[in-house]
């Protein structure tokens, strides 16, 4: 439902506010469906959006445009629309009329216009990057200034912190190159984010001896499948560990005490997996927001091979879509594809999960990314078979 509303053009932040309102109201499933249908029927509105600039090189070019406001008119516009001007200083700004389904979506469009403007300013002689916007965007009719910095796309590589390597930059390797390529994916413009994200995958998971031709796994598409396998194998441990921390009964029980006594997430995940196998989702004391995760994991521990195959298939689709979108951008020169936003939205968090496991394996085992991918593909075939491979050990080194 949320994915459909996002594809219609609603901003993620607006939908989060919508969902938070539904949660607060303790609504029924019918109420949620009716509210979503009402959103789906809505038509775009025109919003006046102000972007203010701190530095304006070649000011005469800006002043010649009809939507330009000098600093006095910027202040007047803000006061007219109920915004504070305390401590406000600007060199001027532009007011754009933008069509969107919600004010935060209009702000996002304005952010893209600013990205285009600042990118052009990088080509100025003597004043490179001279266009400097203020850190907020203002939308008429929306009470709160919208931060200029966009929300991150959830590409989180937490192993850099957990393994103590955030500041260890004295040596350089493939991992560093890949992280630099992927750095733009969290907050960068859509086309560079897709290109950089896929370049990171390709730099880590492509081998010169990979099959060529027109087969399903030929060319660079095999890198998408390898990344999907790594992500699929990392998923059970991550979700089981989260459930271990979320299990909070009114009074401590055997499971909560055992989890508290653990020193490693691997053991916490194993305890929760055993509890779900024996008692199903009801074995955990969770908030209702965690119920779906418990149901997913309960199904997984009962039939791990089937569930992981389905999840791996979904992840392969997402990663291959990222690869095809990258080809459309770099080989076709099409930077406004209809699937661009959706491809990046679905692939970005998955890419973060995969990079996190690759970084972890590199720092703890000195394991090459291709070797990790091979381990993941074998694990998907062996899980819960004669070897006794558990869902929490899919990416662990063989004993």
């Amino acid at each position: 439902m949320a994915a459909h509303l996002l594809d219609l053009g609603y901003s993620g932040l607006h939908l989060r506010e919508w969902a938070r309102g539904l949660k607060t109201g303790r609504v029924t499933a019918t109420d949620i469906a009716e509210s979503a249908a009402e959103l789906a029927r809505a038509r775009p509105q025109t919003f006046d959006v102000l972007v203010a600039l701190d530095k304006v090189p070649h000011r005469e070019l800006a002043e010649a445009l009809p939507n330009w406001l000098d600093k006095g008119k910027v202040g007047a516009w803000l006061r007219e629309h109920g915004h504070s001007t305390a401590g406000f200083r600007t060199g001027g700004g532009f007011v754009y009329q933008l069509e969107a389904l919600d004010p935060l979506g209009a702000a996002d469009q304005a952010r893209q216009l600013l990205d285009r403007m600042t990118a052009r300013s990088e080509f100025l002689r003597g004043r490179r990057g001279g266009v400097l916007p203020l850190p907020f965007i203002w939308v008429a009719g929306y009470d709160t200034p919208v931060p200029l910095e966009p929300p991150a796309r959830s590409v989180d590589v937490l192993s850099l912190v957990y393994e103590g390597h955030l500041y260890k930059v004295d040596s350089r390797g493939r991992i560093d190159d890949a992280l630099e390529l992927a750095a733009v994916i969290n907050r960068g413009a859509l086309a560079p984010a897709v290109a950089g994200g896929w370049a990171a995958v390709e730099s880590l998971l492509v081998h010169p001896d990979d099959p060529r031709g027109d087969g399903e796994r030929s060319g660079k598409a095999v890198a998408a499948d390898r990344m999907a396998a790594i992500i699929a194998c990392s998923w059970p441990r991550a979700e089981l560990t989260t459930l271990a921390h979320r299990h909070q009964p009114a009074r401590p029980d055997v499971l909560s005490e055992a989890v508290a006594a653990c020193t490693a997430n691997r053991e916490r995940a194993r305890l929760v997996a055993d509890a779900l196998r024996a008692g199903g989702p009801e074995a955990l004391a969770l908030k209702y927001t965690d119920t779906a995760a418990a149901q997913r994991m309960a199904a997984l521990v009962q039939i791990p091979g089937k569930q992981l195959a389905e999840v791996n298939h979904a992840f392969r689709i997402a990663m291959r879509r990222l690869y095809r979108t990258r080809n459309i951008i770099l080989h076709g020169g099409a930077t406004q594809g209809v699937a661009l936003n959706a491809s990046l939205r679905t692939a970005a968090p998955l890419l973060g999960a995969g990079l996190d496991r690759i970084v972890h394996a590199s720092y703890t085992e000195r394991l090459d990314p291709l070797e990790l991918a091979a381990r993941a593909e074998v694990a998907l075939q062996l899980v819960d078979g004669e070897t006794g491979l558990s869902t929490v050990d899919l990416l662990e080194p063989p004993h």
Side-chain angles (χ1 to χ4, degrees), residues 56-396:
V56 190
H58 300 285
R59 175 179 290 271
E60 68 280 2
L61 299 179
E63 292 175 344
L65 298 176
N67 60 331
W68 168 258
L69 301 181
D70 60 32
K71 57 184 179 181
K73 291 182 179 179
V74 167
W77 189 96
L78 289 172
R79 288 189 294 272
E80 178 186 350
H81 293 92
H83 295 287
S84 172
T85 58
F88 182 84
R89 297 182 64 183
T90 181
F94 293 95
V95 172
Y96 295 99
Q97 289 191 329
L98 302 171
E99 281 199 356
L101 288 167
D102 62 80
L104 293 172
D108 188 56
Q109 291 184 40
R111 191 181 289 120
Q112 294 179 38
L113 294 176
L114 270 174
D115 286 343
R116 199 177 307 163
M117 194 184 303
T118 54
R120 292 182 181 188
S121 75
E122 291 293 336
F123 297 94
L124 297 178
R125 179 182 296 173
R127 294 183 179 181
R128 298 194 191 278
V131 173
L132 182 62
L134 293 186
F136 293 99
I137 297 170
W138 292 265
V139 182
Y142 191 73
D143 296 338
T144 307
V146 181
L148 175 64
E149 192 77 6
R153 298 188 179 102
S154 300
V155 184
D156 303 323
V157 184
L158 302 182
S159 292
L160 292 170
V161 175
Y162 294 154
E163 304 304 330
H165 282 262
L166 183 62
Y167 298 109
K168 294 181 181 179
V169 294
D170 48 322
S171 61
R172 186 182 185 92
R174 292 174 63 194
I175 299 295
D176 298 288
D177 294 338
L179 291 176
E180 288 181 9
L181 288 168
V184 69
I185 197 171
N186 251 329
R187 298 186 186 274
L190 292 176
V194 168
W198 178 257
V201 175
E202 191 173 310
S203 71
L204 295 170
L205 295 175
V206 167
H207 189 273
D209 292 333
D210 285 338
R212 302 177 183 276
D214 300 325
E216 184 182 5
R217 285 172 61 91
S218 63
K220 305 301 172 60
V222 67
D225 297 353
R226 288 170 177 156
M227 180 61 85
I230 293 172
I231 302 164
C233 287
S234 71
W235 168 62
R237 170 93 69 86
E239 195 134 53
L240 288 167
T241 300
T242 299
L243 290 174
H245 291 294
R246 300 278 176 84
H247 173 63
Q248 295 180 346
R251 293 183 179 180
D253 59 8
V254 174
L255 177 59
S256 63
E257 291 175 350
V259 167
C262 291
T263 58
N265 283 336
R266 182 181 181 185
E267 296 310 313
R268 295 186 184 97
R270 194 184 308 280
L271 287 170
V272 173
D274 291 342
L276 290 170
R277 189 178 294 109
E282 294 76 16
L284 304 182
L286 303 168
K287 294 181 179 179
Y288 74 94
T289 51
D290 297 315
T291 302
Q295 292 171 343
R296 287 194 297 268
M297 289 297 101
L300 174 73
V301 298
Q302 296 297 337
I303 319 174
K306 178 177 181 293
Q307 295 293 322
L308 282 169
E310 292 176 358
V311 169
N312 183 45
H313 179 69
F315 291 167
R316 285 175 61 186
I317 291 173
M319 297 310 301
R320 286 191 178 203
R321 186 187 298 123
L322 180 69
Y323 170 54
R324 305 301 180 196
T325 304
R326 170 261 188 191
N327 288 347
I328 291 172
I329 293 170
L330 295 187
H331 299 314
T335 59
Q336 302 294 325
V338 294
L340 181 58
N341 204 341
S343 298
L344 187 58
R345 184 178 70 240
T346 54
L350 298 177
L351 178 60
L355 288 175
D356 183 69
R357 291 301 87 196
I358 290 172
V359 168
H360 174 81
S362 176
Y363 289 153
T364 59
E365 299 182 55
R366 297 188 179 279
L367 192 67
D368 184 86
L370 284 168
E371 293 174 340
L372 180 65
R375 180 185 293 177
E377 290 179 334
V378 171
L380 290 173
Q381 300 300 318
L382 298 181
V383 61
D384 208 38
E386 295 179 357
T387 62
L389 181 63
S390 167
T391 53
V392 302
D393 297 323
L394 297 176
L395 292 180
E396 291 298 318

